Amino acid sequence: MELLLDFARGPGFLFALAFMVLGLMRHLLLTAWHIARTYSRAGDKSLPYSTIARSSLEWMFPIRKLRDQPLFSLTSIIFHLAVIIVPVFLRGHIELWQRGIGITWPGISNTLADTLTVVAIVTGSALLLQRVTAKATRSLSRFQDYALPILISVPFVTGYLMMHPTINPLPYTLTFLMHLVSANLLFILVPLTKLSHMALLPGSQLVSELGWHWPRDAGSRIAASLGKEKAPV
């Protein structure tokens, strides 16, 4: 067991982290190249940059969506905040980074980390339940849409059990190994699944807008075919 733990928190972690970083860099470089190529071939190069920026911010911080689907949107926002804050700002994780590469940053208390961990587990379960029970989302869902929330919850559940050994039904070393392996697996899956949106989302609206400008007059022709020539794109 100790050998597996040493591998998971040593070479296994470094491989998973490098795979995630390099994979996301590949996504970003390819996206930037395609954006530049499409823009150079676009018939209309007058892009509404202020509109694109505003739309991008609305997608990154979907406060307005609270009016349309308040319960689902609020649950999704809280879930995303929790799964970002806990891994990044947990003091135990920060100490590992400090020991490994010598960098550190302010962390959150263990009490707040515990609360956010429970919040991540509950909201993740709620989002999965909504996807299973709602016909509209179920018809559009793929296997990864069901699997990813479960995989994301594993490091949080095991991390919580590690911090509260009195309620942990499993041996500590096994829980620790499950925590490390599940976290490493998520790192590897980030550039291979829809989790890559964490890096690609800021540029999604620019890509969408470029689609209306290439080829020449594409946007106006589509609008005409829909009978919405005067409607804003």
Side-chain angles (χ1 to χ4, degrees), residues 4 9 27 39 82 89 141 166 194 206 217:
L4 291 174
R9 61 188 171 190
H27 278 307
Y39 181 76
F89 294 101
S141 297
T166 56
K194 64 189 301 182
L206 174 58
D217 299 329

Side-chain angles (χ1 to χ4, degrees), residues 20 26 43 50 52 175 194:
M20 179 183 71
R26 176 183 178 273
S50 60
I52 294 173
T175 308
K194 64 189 301 182

Side-chain angles (χ1 to χ4, degrees), residues 62-81:
I63 305 301
R64 288 190 177 183
K65 293 185 181 295
L66 291 173
R67 295 178 299 184
D68 303 325
Q69 295 178 301
L71 182 59
F72 173 78
S73 298
L74 184 60
T75 303
S76 179
I77 291 172
I78 294 174
F79 171 74
H80 281 80
L81 288 174

